[in-house]
Amino acid sequence: MLDLTLDDIARIIGGTLVLGDHAVELGVSESTIVGGAVDTDSREIVPGGIFVAKPGEFSDGHLYVPAAIESGAELVIVERVLDDLTVPQIVVADSVQALGDLATEVVRRIRELGLLKVVGITGSNGKTTTKNLVRTILERRGPTIAPRDSFNNEVGAPLTMLKLEADTKYLVAEMGASKPGEITRLVRMARPDVGVVLMVGLAHAGEFGGIEKTLQTKTEMVTDLLPTDVAVLNIDDYRVAGMAEKTRASVLWFGLDARADVRASALQSTPTGTTFTLSLPTGQSRQVNFGVLGEHHVMNALAAAAVAHTLEVPLDDIVEALESVTRAEHWRMEVLPGTQGITIINDAYNASPDSMLAGLKTLAQISGEGIRRVAVLGEMSELGEFSLEEHDRIGRTIVRLGIERIFVVGEGARALHLAATHEGSWDGESAFFDTADEAYAVLEGELRSGDVVLVKSSNSAGLRFLGDRLGERFA
């Protein structure tokens, strides 16, 4: 983080600075400068850091203030005065709000230096993959900050912004939301020069209250953009395409549609990735050998290429960076090839109807002599009233795709198993298991050389660990 005085920080976040007798004895004053890494996790605090005590659903960050100080925190931001601390504390009404206010000011000050460009990315699916691709392209051209994992909410996004330094050239901000207004808040913190919307689907539809509420929330990415900014929009998604009418920014289209400014054509899917021709609005085109499995990830590559083009990255550099990426992220279409001829595709970090269908289509496209396709599936969470209908639809689709063997794990996905069974033309095509351990015991004995296994579920179902376990067993 930028160096700031304690008094500066207190003023920025609207808090009360409490130095404490011990800190005063050590010469700490209102003008003392701090600038270490900011975190809400005491386990991540490093010497010189700032710890934000955030009340949580299951625990209270104030309980971990001593641990943060022991790890080297030089300042704590709290919602109530804590006794006997050896470091100064700033007391605020809302520590999450304070975190956002601090991030907003840090971004503003670094922007004033004239070097920083900010990219904001949202969408129902693909945010993390696209963020990783954009980071891979941009970090070759200058210091780049991007979130780890899926740090894209009201806490994770500002924590990423607070990693900015005076020489940072690019900030890639992933922006998610669980309710309307959250993306607006993040956009106003970061003030993107480039705002990306990937797609609008049923992911988290249960939380939002339906697809129209999801659309309204994702549109928040572009409504605050300025005329000098660029909205990078998916022309193949009619809901996203409609956002062009909601923004003052210029629009750069990406997609497979012939009208797209940044377009992919001549797609060829293989078990190791996708080959496609990338075309830019300059008239240039190049073949890309993209090592991330699944044609649906080509859309993420196009979005990343569009961002890079907007930021004046040459086509050759874009292609070289895209071809250097071999996986989207840990647990996202992660290919774990085995020495016994068994391939595990672990894609169980998140699942929505759109991403589940995309993963299954990728599995269906993998063919060859001796190859048997196996789907190990768990619940798609956060669908609310749409859950039964969507699990039923996916179960029937699996059979229609011709996937030979289906393992369904967990009560939340039972409707998927029942639908596959009703749709199937023979008994035993789909098997149901209450737990991942039960599924593993059968898989361990049944898998054979040539099998390609897709493991897919929402994070809450925990099948990512089953995927890892299968990878270790057959590696």
Side-chain angles (χ1 to χ4, degrees):
M1 191 184 79
L2 283 181
D3 287 343
L4 297 168
T5 68
L6 292 174
D7 187 59
D8 268 344
I9 296 174
R11 178 180 50 78
I12 290 165
I13 65 178
T16 301
L17 177 62
V18 179
L19 292 176
D21 293 339
H22 183 80
V24 171
E25 288 173 5
L26 294 175
V28 177
S29 70
E30 291 87 347
S31 60
T32 296
I33 293 174
V34 294
V38 182
D39 217 301
T40 58
D41 188 338
S42 62
R43 296 166 296 183
E44 299 293 329
I45 292 294
V46 296
I50 300 171
F51 178 64
V52 180
K54 179 181 74 69
E57 184 178 355
F58 302 108
S59 188
D60 184 351
H62 293 80
L63 300 174
Y64 300 95
V65 167
I69 294 173
E70 186 175 344
S71 294
E74 291 188 354
L75 170 67
V76 296
I77 296 173
V78 294
E79 293 186 359
R80 59 180 183 271
V81 177
L82 301 180
D83 297 328
D84 303 320
L85 296 191
T86 58
V87 302
Q89 54 189 307
I90 297 177
V91 186
V92 297
D94 184 329
S95 58
V96 174
Q97 180 66 47
L99 184 67
D101 291 343
L102 185 58
T104 301
E105 179 63 11
V106 166
V107 173
R108 187 191 69 79
R109 292 192 184 196
I110 292 180
R111 272 194 170 285
E112 285 184 342
L113 301 176
L115 180 65
L116 182 67
K117 292 292 184 182
V118 179
V119 179
I121 300 170
T122 197
S124 297
N125 298 111
K127 293 185 294 297
T128 300
T129 300
T130 304
K131 171 260 297 182
N132 289 339
L133 295 172
V134 173
R135 176 181 58 196
T136 299
I137 296 169
L138 296 183
E139 65 188 1
R140 298 176 175 214
R141 302 181 64 81
T144 301
I145 296 295
R148 70 176 192 262
D149 301 326
S150 293
F151 270 39
N152 60 25
N153 62 9
E154 61 181 356
V155 174
L159 286 177
T160 299
M161 297 174 202
L162 287 168
K163 296 182 184 297
L164 292 172
E165 301 286 351
D167 66 343
T168 303
K169 189 171 182 180
Y170 302 108
L171 168 64
V172 185
E174 184 180 336
M175 297 182 178
S178 58
K179 60 180 182 294
E182 290 187 355
I183 291 177
T184 292
R185 183 170 182 233
L186 298 179
V187 166
R188 290 176 182 176
M189 282 184 204
R191 292 294 177 189
D193 301 281
V194 183
V196 183
V197 186
L198 300 168
M199 65 171 296
V200 175
L202 282 172
H204 312 295
E207 291 183 346
F208 285 115
I211 194 71
E212 291 307 316
K213 285 286 187 182
T214 304
L215 172 60
Q216 174 188 333
T217 301
K218 299 305 180 185
T219 303
E220 293 172 13
M221 171 59 76
V222 302
T223 51
D224 271 9
L225 294 179
L226 302 175
T228 53
D229 299 329
V230 178
V232 172
L233 301 179
N234 180 356
I235 200 170
D236 294 347
D237 184 322
Y238 75 92
R239 293 187 177 96
V240 176
M243 295 180 189
E245 300 174 358
K246 306 290 186 181
T247 186
R248 295 172 293 168
S250 59
V251 174
L252 186 69
W253 300 106
F254 71 92
L256 305 182
D257 192 291
R259 297 169 298 166
D261 301 303
V262 177
R263 184 167 62 94
S265 59
L267 278 68
Q268 289 189 319
S269 182
T270 74
T272 58
T274 307
T275 299
F276 64 95
T277 299
L278 171 62
S279 300
L280 297 183
T282 57
Q284 297 173 287
S285 63
R286 279 279 306 277
Q287 180 174 296
V288 180
N289 298 311
F290 190 45
V292 179
L293 186 63
E295 284 189 4
H296 55 292
H297 282 304
V298 171
M299 294 298 289
N300 301 326
L302 290 175
V307 169
H309 174 72
T310 297
L311 297 175
E312 300 181 342
V313 179
L315 176 58
D316 286 348
D317 293 351
I318 294 172
V319 173
E320 182 180 345
L322 290 177
E323 292 188 336
S324 74
V325 178
T326 57
R327 71 174 188 180
E329 177 94 350
H330 188 28
W331 298 318
R332 288 178 169 89
M333 295 303 286
E334 183 175 14
V335 180
L336 308 170
T339 56
Q340 300 181 38
I342 298 170
T343 299
I344 309 297
I345 304 169
N346 195 350
D347 191 31
Y349 188 83
N350 271 321
S352 68
D354 296 304
S355 68
M356 182 73 83
L357 183 58
L360 290 167
K361 284 183 175 178
T362 297
L363 180 63
Q365 289 169 345
I366 296 171
S367 61
E369 187 176 351
I371 289 180
R372 182 177 67 148
R373 296 157 302 182
V374 180
V376 182
L377 308 174
E379 182 181 10
M380 301 177 290
S381 63
E382 300 177 352
L383 292 177
E385 64 181 291
F386 306 100
S387 182
L388 181 60
E389 175 186 348
E390 291 302 320
H391 281 90
D392 182 271
R393 182 171 69 90
I394 292 295
R396 296 179 187 279
T397 301
I398 298 169
V399 178
R400 294 167 188 169
L401 288 171
I403 293 169
E404 291 85 356
R405 193 75 167 95
I406 307 163
F407 289 73
V408 180
V409 183
E411 188 61 34
R414 184 182 287 275
L416 192 158
H417 163 66
L418 294 174
T421 300
H422 293 154
E423 187 73 19
S425 57
W426 62 87
D427 291 336
E429 179 181 42
S430 179
F432 177 80
F433 302 89
D434 288 311
T435 69
D437 285 343
E438 292 172 2
Y440 176 81
V442 176
L443 282 160
E444 185 181 32
E446 183 175 316
L447 293 183
R448 58 179 186 256
S449 181
D451 285 352
V452 179
V453 184
L454 171 69
V455 184
K456 180 73 174 170
S457 74
S458 285
N459 202 350
S460 59
L463 294 199
R464 62 195 185 280
F465 304 118
L466 173 60
D468 283 346
R469 192 175 176 190
L470 290 170
E472 291 168 3
R473 169 65 178 82
F474 296 106

